[in-house]
mmCIF file of all heavy atoms in Angstrom:
data_model
loop_
_atom_site.group_PDB
_atom_site.id
_atom_site.type_symbol
_atom_site.label_atom_id
_atom_site.label_comp_id
_atom_site.label_asym_id
_atom_site.label_seq_id
_atom_site.Cartn_x
_atom_site.Cartn_y
_atom_site.Cartn_z
ATOM 1 N N VAL H 1 0.866 -1.182 0.000
ATOM 2 C CA VAL H 1 0.000 0.000 0.000
ATOM 3 C C VAL H 1 0.899 1.226 0.000
ATOM 4 O O VAL H 1 1.817 1.335 0.807
ATOM 5 C CB VAL H 1 -0.916 0.037 1.246
ATOM 6 C CG1 VAL H 1 -1.842 1.249 1.180
ATOM 7 C CG2 VAL H 1 -1.700 -1.256 1.395
ATOM 8 N N PHE H 2 0.621 2.144 -0.903
ATOM 9 C CA PHE H 2 1.400 3.386 -0.970
ATOM 10 C C PHE H 2 0.490 4.541 -1.348
ATOM 11 O O PHE H 2 -0.588 4.337 -1.909
ATOM 12 C CB PHE H 2 2.581 3.257 -1.951
ATOM 13 C CG PHE H 2 2.214 2.732 -3.305
ATOM 14 C CD1 PHE H 2 1.834 3.588 -4.328
ATOM 15 C CD2 PHE H 2 2.236 1.366 -3.565
ATOM 16 C CE1 PHE H 2 1.498 3.101 -5.577
ATOM 17 C CE2 PHE H 2 1.899 0.861 -4.821
ATOM 18 C CZ PHE H 2 1.531 1.737 -5.827
ATOM 19 N N LEU H 3 0.934 5.745 -1.006
ATOM 20 C CA LEU H 3 0.160 6.933 -1.363
ATOM 21 C C LEU H 3 0.106 7.076 -2.876
ATOM 22 O O LEU H 3 1.123 6.896 -3.561
ATOM 23 C CB LEU H 3 0.771 8.186 -0.747
ATOM 24 C CG LEU H 3 0.740 8.307 0.772
ATOM 25 C CD1 LEU H 3 1.334 9.645 1.207
ATOM 26 C CD2 LEU H 3 -0.663 8.147 1.336
ATOM 27 N N ALA H 4 -1.058 7.399 -3.378
ATOM 28 C CA ALA H 4 -1.230 7.614 -4.815
ATOM 29 C C ALA H 4 -0.448 8.849 -5.238
ATOM 30 O O ALA H 4 -0.356 9.829 -4.494
ATOM 31 C CB ALA H 4 -2.709 7.786 -5.141
ATOM 32 N N LYS H 5 0.108 8.787 -6.442
ATOM 33 C CA LYS H 5 0.821 9.949 -6.987
ATOM 34 C C LYS H 5 -0.130 11.126 -7.127
ATOM 35 O O LYS H 5 0.206 12.253 -6.797
ATOM 36 C CB LYS H 5 1.448 9.581 -8.331
ATOM 37 C CG LYS H 5 2.273 10.691 -8.956
ATOM 38 C CD LYS H 5 2.804 10.296 -10.316
ATOM 39 C CE LYS H 5 1.756 10.511 -11.299
ATOM 40 N NZ LYS H 5 1.832 10.956 -12.570
ATOM 41 N N ASP H 6 -1.322 10.854 -7.622
ATOM 42 C CA ASP H 6 -2.354 11.882 -7.769
ATOM 43 C C ASP H 6 -3.361 11.705 -6.639
ATOM 44 O O ASP H 6 -4.102 10.726 -6.618
ATOM 45 C CB ASP H 6 -3.049 11.766 -9.127
ATOM 46 C CG ASP H 6 -2.112 12.039 -10.290
ATOM 47 O OD1 ASP H 6 -1.242 12.927 -10.158
ATOM 48 O OD2 ASP H 6 -2.246 11.367 -11.326
ATOM 49 N N GLN H 7 -3.377 12.645 -5.721
ATOM 50 C CA GLN H 7 -4.205 12.573 -4.528
ATOM 51 C C GLN H 7 -5.560 13.236 -4.761
ATOM 52 O O GLN H 7 -5.615 14.430 -5.058
ATOM 53 C CB GLN H 7 -3.510 13.285 -3.363
ATOM 54 C CG GLN H 7 -2.206 12.640 -2.918
ATOM 55 C CD GLN H 7 -2.472 11.516 -1.937
ATOM 56 O OE1 GLN H 7 -2.985 11.735 -0.852
ATOM 57 N NE2 GLN H 7 -2.128 10.308 -2.340
ATOM 58 N N VAL H 8 -6.645 12.484 -4.605
ATOM 59 C CA VAL H 8 -7.981 13.077 -4.615
ATOM 60 C C VAL H 8 -8.172 13.835 -3.304
ATOM 61 O O VAL H 8 -8.611 14.974 -3.301
ATOM 62 C CB VAL H 8 -9.069 11.997 -4.818
ATOM 63 C CG1 VAL H 8 -10.457 12.578 -4.584
ATOM 64 C CG2 VAL H 8 -8.956 11.401 -6.205
ATOM 65 N N ASN H 9 -7.836 13.188 -2.202
ATOM 66 C CA ASN H 9 -7.781 13.820 -0.890
ATOM 67 C C ASN H 9 -6.524 13.296 -0.207
ATOM 68 O O ASN H 9 -6.056 12.190 -0.516
ATOM 69 C CB ASN H 9 -9.027 13.492 -0.051
ATOM 70 C CG ASN H 9 -10.258 14.224 -0.547
ATOM 71 O OD1 ASN H 9 -10.196 15.393 -0.915
ATOM 72 N ND2 ASN H 9 -11.389 13.538 -0.565
ATOM 73 N N LEU H 10 -6.005 14.070 0.715
ATOM 74 C CA LEU H 10 -4.773 13.686 1.392
ATOM 75 C C LEU H 10 -4.946 12.339 2.077
ATOM 76 O O LEU H 10 -5.891 12.141 2.843
ATOM 77 C CB LEU H 10 -4.387 14.764 2.416
ATOM 78 C CG LEU H 10 -3.030 14.592 3.093
ATOM 79 C CD1 LEU H 10 -1.898 14.621 2.069
ATOM 80 C CD2 LEU H 10 -2.825 15.666 4.141
ATOM 81 N N GLY H 11 -4.057 11.414 1.766
ATOM 82 C CA GLY H 11 -4.122 10.066 2.307
ATOM 83 C C GLY H 11 -4.587 9.043 1.286
ATOM 84 O O GLY H 11 -4.560 7.836 1.546
ATOM 85 N N HIS H 12 -4.995 9.491 0.116
ATOM 86 C CA HIS H 12 -5.424 8.610 -0.976
ATOM 87 C C HIS H 12 -4.307 7.602 -1.245
ATOM 88 O O HIS H 12 -3.190 7.965 -1.582
ATOM 89 C CB HIS H 12 -5.706 9.472 -2.204
ATOM 90 C CG HIS H 12 -6.065 8.726 -3.441
ATOM 91 N ND1 HIS H 12 -6.382 9.402 -4.598
ATOM 92 C CD2 HIS H 12 -6.159 7.416 -3.748
ATOM 93 C CE1 HIS H 12 -6.656 8.538 -5.553
ATOM 94 N NE2 HIS H 12 -6.520 7.309 -5.052
ATOM 95 N N SER H 13 -4.629 6.326 -1.072
ATOM 96 C CA SER H 13 -3.639 5.264 -1.196
ATOM 97 C C SER H 13 -4.069 4.219 -2.206
ATOM 98 O O SER H 13 -5.256 4.071 -2.506
ATOM 99 C CB SER H 13 -3.427 4.579 0.166
ATOM 100 O OG SER H 13 -2.972 5.505 1.125
ATOM 101 N N LEU H 14 -3.082 3.479 -2.709
ATOM 102 C CA LEU H 14 -3.332 2.368 -3.610
ATOM 103 C C LEU H 14 -2.904 1.082 -2.929
ATOM 104 O O LEU H 14 -1.797 0.996 -2.398
ATOM 105 C CB LEU H 14 -2.554 2.524 -4.913
ATOM 106 C CG LEU H 14 -2.812 3.788 -5.731
ATOM 107 C CD1 LEU H 14 -1.943 3.786 -6.980
ATOM 108 C CD2 LEU H 14 -4.272 3.906 -6.102
ATOM 109 N N LEU H 15 -3.772 0.098 -2.938
ATOM 110 C CA LEU H 15 -3.459 -1.233 -2.430
ATOM 111 C C LEU H 15 -3.263 -2.119 -3.661
ATOM 112 O O LEU H 15 -4.161 -2.227 -4.499
ATOM 113 C CB LEU H 15 -4.598 -1.746 -1.561
ATOM 114 C CG LEU H 15 -4.347 -3.050 -0.805
ATOM 115 C CD1 LEU H 15 -5.229 -3.100 0.437
ATOM 116 C CD2 LEU H 15 -4.538 -4.276 -1.638
ATOM 117 N N VAL H 16 -2.068 -2.714 -3.761
ATOM 118 C CA VAL H 16 -1.681 -3.433 -4.967
ATOM 119 C C VAL H 16 -1.233 -4.847 -4.602
ATOM 120 O O VAL H 16 -0.376 -5.004 -3.723
ATOM 121 C CB VAL H 16 -0.519 -2.684 -5.676
ATOM 122 C CG1 VAL H 16 -0.062 -3.426 -6.919
ATOM 123 C CG2 VAL H 16 -0.916 -1.253 -6.010
ATOM 124 N N PRO H 17 -1.769 -5.868 -5.272
ATOM 125 C CA PRO H 17 -1.252 -7.209 -5.034
ATOM 126 C C PRO H 17 0.177 -7.318 -5.580
ATOM 127 O O PRO H 17 0.503 -6.701 -6.595
ATOM 128 C CB PRO H 17 -2.208 -8.118 -5.795
ATOM 129 C CG PRO H 17 -2.905 -7.262 -6.772
ATOM 130 C CD PRO H 17 -2.848 -5.860 -6.249
ATOM 131 N N LYS H 18 0.994 -8.091 -4.904
ATOM 132 C CA LYS H 18 2.377 -8.255 -5.353
ATOM 133 C C LYS H 18 2.482 -9.174 -6.568
ATOM 134 O O LYS H 18 3.469 -9.122 -7.282
ATOM 135 C CB LYS H 18 3.252 -8.749 -4.205
ATOM 136 C CG LYS H 18 3.455 -7.667 -3.155
ATOM 137 C CD LYS H 18 4.391 -8.108 -2.062
ATOM 138 C CE LYS H 18 4.650 -6.958 -1.096
ATOM 139 N NZ LYS H 18 5.546 -7.363 0.003
ATOM 140 N N VAL H 19 1.454 -9.974 -6.792
ATOM 141 C CA VAL H 19 1.392 -10.772 -8.010
ATOM 142 C C VAL H 19 0.836 -9.872 -9.107
ATOM 143 O O VAL H 19 -0.106 -9.111 -8.884
ATOM 144 C CB VAL H 19 0.545 -12.049 -7.812
ATOM 145 C CG1 VAL H 19 -0.875 -11.719 -7.421
ATOM 146 C CG2 VAL H 19 0.561 -12.908 -9.045
ATOM 147 N N GLU H 20 1.438 -9.924 -10.274
ATOM 148 C CA GLU H 20 1.045 -9.030 -11.359
ATOM 149 C C GLU H 20 -0.147 -9.602 -12.115
ATOM 150 O O GLU H 20 -0.017 -10.544 -12.894
ATOM 151 C CB GLU H 20 2.225 -8.807 -12.313
ATOM 152 C CG GLU H 20 1.996 -7.717 -13.314
ATOM 153 C CD GLU H 20 3.248 -7.376 -14.110
ATOM 154 O OE1 GLU H 20 4.217 -8.146 -14.087
ATOM 155 O OE2 GLU H 20 3.252 -6.328 -14.755
ATOM 156 N N VAL H 21 -1.324 -9.050 -11.818
ATOM 157 C CA VAL H 21 -2.547 -9.385 -12.543
ATOM 158 C C VAL H 21 -3.201 -8.086 -12.994
ATOM 159 O O VAL H 21 -3.089 -7.068 -12.315
ATOM 160 C CB VAL H 21 -3.536 -10.231 -11.703
ATOM 161 C CG1 VAL H 21 -2.933 -11.560 -11.298
ATOM 162 C CG2 VAL H 21 -4.030 -9.482 -10.498
ATOM 163 N N ASP H 22 -3.862 -8.149 -14.124
ATOM 164 C CA ASP H 22 -4.441 -6.944 -14.710
ATOM 165 C C ASP H 22 -5.771 -6.563 -14.073
ATOM 166 O O ASP H 22 -6.019 -5.383 -13.808
ATOM 167 C CB ASP H 22 -4.618 -7.156 -16.207
ATOM 168 C CG ASP H 22 -5.107 -5.917 -16.942
ATOM 169 O OD1 ASP H 22 -4.944 -4.798 -16.423
ATOM 170 O OD2 ASP H 22 -5.665 -6.071 -18.042
ATOM 171 N N GLN H 23 -6.629 -7.537 -13.807
ATOM 172 C CA GLN H 23 -7.973 -7.256 -13.327
ATOM 173 C C GLN H 23 -8.299 -8.114 -12.116
ATOM 174 O O GLN H 23 -7.723 -9.174 -11.922
ATOM 175 C CB GLN H 23 -8.997 -7.583 -14.420
ATOM 176 C CG GLN H 23 -8.795 -6.830 -15.709
ATOM 177 C CD GLN H 23 -9.781 -7.298 -16.757
ATOM 178 O OE1 GLN H 23 -10.981 -7.235 -16.529
ATOM 179 N NE2 GLN H 23 -9.276 -7.764 -17.885
ATOM 180 N N ILE H 24 -9.272 -7.664 -11.360
ATOM 181 C CA ILE H 24 -9.675 -8.415 -10.171
ATOM 182 C C ILE H 24 -10.187 -9.807 -10.552
ATOM 183 O O ILE H 24 -10.008 -10.765 -9.804
ATOM 184 C CB ILE H 24 -10.687 -7.640 -9.307
ATOM 185 C CG1 ILE H 24 -10.773 -8.287 -7.916
ATOM 186 C CG2 ILE H 24 -12.031 -7.538 -9.994
ATOM 187 C CD1 ILE H 24 -11.393 -7.433 -6.858
ATOM 188 N N ILE H 25 -10.757 -9.960 -11.727
ATOM 189 C CA ILE H 25 -11.237 -11.275 -12.148
ATOM 190 C C ILE H 25 -10.081 -12.238 -12.417
ATOM 191 O O ILE H 25 -10.303 -13.446 -12.495
ATOM 192 C CB ILE H 25 -12.173 -11.188 -13.379
ATOM 193 C CG1 ILE H 25 -11.445 -10.580 -14.572
ATOM 194 C CG2 ILE H 25 -13.434 -10.413 -13.036
ATOM 195 C CD1 ILE H 25 -12.254 -10.580 -15.873
ATOM 196 N N ASP H 26 -8.865 -11.718 -12.514
ATOM 197 C CA ASP H 26 -7.684 -12.557 -12.724
ATOM 198 C C ASP H 26 -7.026 -12.981 -11.412
ATOM 199 O O ASP H 26 -6.128 -13.822 -11.413
ATOM 200 C CB ASP H 26 -6.636 -11.797 -13.558
ATOM 201 C CG ASP H 26 -7.157 -11.398 -14.929
ATOM 202 O OD1 ASP H 26 -7.940 -12.161 -15.513
ATOM 203 O OD2 ASP H 26 -6.780 -10.313 -15.404
ATOM 204 N N LEU H 27 -7.444 -12.386 -10.312
ATOM 205 C CA LEU H 27 -6.830 -12.665 -9.013
ATOM 206 C C LEU H 27 -7.440 -13.925 -8.408
ATOM 207 O O LEU H 27 -8.656 -14.120 -8.458
ATOM 208 C CB LEU H 27 -7.053 -11.464 -8.082
ATOM 209 C CG LEU H 27 -6.241 -11.401 -6.802
ATOM 210 C CD1 LEU H 27 -4.749 -11.304 -7.094
ATOM 211 C CD2 LEU H 27 -6.681 -10.209 -5.956
ATOM 212 N N GLU H 28 -6.595 -14.769 -7.823
ATOM 213 C CA GLU H 28 -7.091 -15.974 -7.154
ATOM 214 C C GLU H 28 -8.125 -15.588 -6.102
ATOM 215 O O GLU H 28 -8.004 -14.554 -5.448
ATOM 216 C CB GLU H 28 -5.944 -16.704 -6.452
ATOM 217 C CG GLU H 28 -4.933 -17.325 -7.359
ATOM 218 C CD GLU H 28 -3.821 -18.009 -6.571
ATOM 219 O OE1 GLU H 28 -4.048 -18.459 -5.428
ATOM 220 O OE2 GLU H 28 -2.714 -18.072 -7.112
ATOM 221 N N ASP H 29 -9.122 -16.440 -5.911
ATOM 222 C CA ASP H 29 -10.192 -16.146 -4.964
ATOM 223 C C ASP H 29 -9.663 -15.885 -3.559
ATOM 224 O O ASP H 29 -10.122 -14.957 -2.881
ATOM 225 C CB ASP H 29 -11.214 -17.290 -4.918
ATOM 226 C CG ASP H 29 -12.055 -17.372 -6.178
ATOM 227 O OD1 ASP H 29 -12.031 -16.420 -6.988
ATOM 228 O OD2 ASP H 29 -12.734 -18.399 -6.347
ATOM 229 N N SER H 30 -8.702 -16.684 -3.112
ATOM 230 C CA SER H 30 -8.179 -16.492 -1.749
ATOM 231 C C SER H 30 -7.500 -15.129 -1.615
ATOM 232 O O SER H 30 -7.641 -14.463 -0.589
ATOM 233 C CB SER H 30 -7.221 -17.619 -1.362
ATOM 234 O OG SER H 30 -6.092 -17.624 -2.228
ATOM 235 N N LEU H 31 -6.788 -14.697 -2.647
ATOM 236 C CA LEU H 31 -6.142 -13.380 -2.602
ATOM 237 C C LEU H 31 -7.170 -12.264 -2.696
ATOM 238 O O LEU H 31 -6.980 -11.192 -2.121
ATOM 239 C CB LEU H 31 -5.098 -13.231 -3.709
ATOM 240 C CG LEU H 31 -3.743 -13.852 -3.429
ATOM 241 C CD1 LEU H 31 -2.823 -13.686 -4.647
ATOM 242 C CD2 LEU H 31 -3.091 -13.256 -2.200
ATOM 243 N N THR H 32 -8.252 -12.501 -3.414
ATOM 244 C CA THR H 32 -9.306 -11.490 -3.506
ATOM 245 C C THR H 32 -9.895 -11.224 -2.126
ATOM 246 O O THR H 32 -10.043 -10.068 -1.714
ATOM 247 C CB THR H 32 -10.403 -11.930 -4.493
ATOM 248 O OG1 THR H 32 -9.806 -12.161 -5.762
ATOM 249 C CG2 THR H 32 -11.480 -10.870 -4.619
ATOM 250 N N SER H 33 -10.222 -12.278 -1.404
ATOM 251 C CA SER H 33 -10.774 -12.069 -0.061
ATOM 252 C C SER H 33 -9.719 -11.471 0.866
ATOM 253 O O SER H 33 -10.012 -10.565 1.640
ATOM 254 C CB SER H 33 -11.359 -13.354 0.510
ATOM 255 O OG SER H 33 -10.371 -14.327 0.699
ATOM 256 N N ASP H 34 -8.477 -11.934 0.768
ATOM 257 C CA ASP H 34 -7.389 -11.366 1.584
ATOM 258 C C ASP H 34 -7.211 -9.880 1.297
ATOM 259 O O ASP H 34 -6.948 -9.086 2.208
ATOM 260 C CB ASP H 34 -6.067 -12.090 1.327
ATOM 261 C CG ASP H 34 -6.030 -13.509 1.854
ATOM 262 O OD1 ASP H 34 -6.935 -13.905 2.619
ATOM 263 O OD2 ASP H 34 -5.073 -14.231 1.490
ATOM 264 N N MET H 35 -7.350 -9.503 0.031
ATOM 265 C CA MET H 35 -7.179 -8.099 -0.356
ATOM 266 C C MET H 35 -8.200 -7.212 0.354
ATOM 267 O O MET H 35 -7.866 -6.151 0.872
ATOM 268 C CB MET H 35 -7.300 -7.938 -1.871
ATOM 269 C CG MET H 35 -7.092 -6.504 -2.345
ATOM 270 S SD MET H 35 -7.040 -6.340 -4.145
ATOM 271 C CE MET H 35 -8.778 -6.442 -4.523
ATOM 272 N N PHE H 36 -9.448 -7.655 0.411
ATOM 273 C CA PHE H 36 -10.475 -6.820 1.021
ATOM 274 C C PHE H 36 -10.398 -6.819 2.547
ATOM 275 O O PHE H 36 -10.698 -5.798 3.174
ATOM 276 C CB PHE H 36 -11.857 -7.189 0.492
ATOM 277 C CG PHE H 36 -12.086 -6.612 -0.875
ATOM 278 C CD1 PHE H 36 -11.856 -7.377 -1.999
ATOM 279 C CD2 PHE H 36 -12.468 -5.295 -1.028
ATOM 280 C CE1 PHE H 36 -12.024 -6.830 -3.269
ATOM 281 C CE2 PHE H 36 -12.638 -4.736 -2.278
ATOM 282 C CZ PHE H 36 -12.416 -5.505 -3.412
ATOM 283 N N VAL H 37 -9.953 -7.904 3.142
ATOM 284 C CA VAL H 37 -9.729 -7.905 4.595
ATOM 285 C C VAL H 37 -8.588 -6.944 4.932
ATOM 286 O O VAL H 37 -8.689 -6.141 5.864
ATOM 287 C CB VAL H 37 -9.441 -9.336 5.108
ATOM 288 C CG1 VAL H 37 -8.954 -9.313 6.551
ATOM 289 C CG2 VAL H 37 -10.673 -10.207 4.966
ATOM 290 N N TYR H 38 -7.516 -6.997 4.156
ATOM 291 C CA TYR H 38 -6.380 -6.094 4.363
ATOM 292 C C TYR H 38 -6.788 -4.642 4.088
ATOM 293 O O TYR H 38 -6.425 -3.725 4.838
ATOM 294 C CB TYR H 38 -5.235 -6.529 3.454
ATOM 295 C CG TYR H 38 -3.935 -5.812 3.660
ATOM 296 C CD1 TYR H 38 -3.356 -5.660 4.914
ATOM 297 C CD2 TYR H 38 -3.247 -5.302 2.566
ATOM 298 C CE1 TYR H 38 -2.140 -5.014 5.077
ATOM 299 C CE2 TYR H 38 -2.028 -4.661 2.719
ATOM 300 C CZ TYR H 38 -1.482 -4.522 3.974
ATOM 301 O OH TYR H 38 -0.269 -3.880 4.126
ATOM 302 N N ALA H 39 -7.578 -4.434 3.040
ATOM 303 C CA ALA H 39 -8.045 -3.081 2.712
ATOM 304 C C ALA H 39 -8.843 -2.486 3.859
ATOM 305 O O ALA H 39 -8.724 -1.293 4.158
ATOM 306 C CB ALA H 39 -8.885 -3.110 1.440
ATOM 307 N N LYS H 40 -9.642 -3.302 4.506
ATOM 308 C CA LYS H 40 -10.443 -2.825 5.641
ATOM 309 C C LYS H 40 -9.533 -2.323 6.762
ATOM 310 O O LYS H 40 -9.760 -1.246 7.325
ATOM 311 C CB LYS H 40 -11.339 -3.960 6.129
ATOM 312 C CG LYS H 40 -12.269 -3.592 7.245
ATOM 313 C CD LYS H 40 -13.155 -4.790 7.589
ATOM 314 C CE LYS H 40 -13.945 -4.535 8.845
ATOM 315 N NZ LYS H 40 -14.787 -5.681 9.206
ATOM 316 N N LYS H 41 -8.488 -3.062 7.061
ATOM 317 C CA LYS H 41 -7.527 -2.663 8.096
ATOM 318 C C LYS H 41 -6.847 -1.336 7.726
ATOM 319 O O LYS H 41 -6.760 -0.410 8.539
ATOM 320 C CB LYS H 41 -6.476 -3.768 8.257
ATOM 321 C CG LYS H 41 -5.337 -3.422 9.177
ATOM 322 C CD LYS H 41 -4.282 -4.525 9.169
ATOM 323 C CE LYS H 41 -3.035 -4.058 9.882
ATOM 324 N NZ LYS H 41 -1.960 -5.035 9.804
#
């Protein structure tokens, strides 16, 4: 997770999987759920 280069509001961050996938439909189901649990935190 890192601050976005272009900030909509201060603190705007990007959460990025370390595996290189183009779309959420390409992400493994377990990583998809992990991503949203981590995003919540």
Side-chain angles (χ1 to χ4, degrees):
V1 182
F2 51 89
L3 294 183
K5 183 183 82 143
D6 295 323
Q7 296 275 297
V8 170
N9 287 319
L10 187 61
H12 176 178
S13 300
L14 302 179
L15 188 154
V16 178
K18 290 184 176 179
V19 60
E20 190 171 14
V21 299
D22 185 21
Q23 302 176 57
I24 195 163
I25 61 174
D26 300 325
L27 194 63
E28 292 179 28
D29 289 347
S30 62
L31 279 177
T32 302
S33 64
D34 291 348
M35 182 173 78
F36 282 96
V37 169
Y38 187 50
K40 183 177 171 181
K41 173 185 169 185

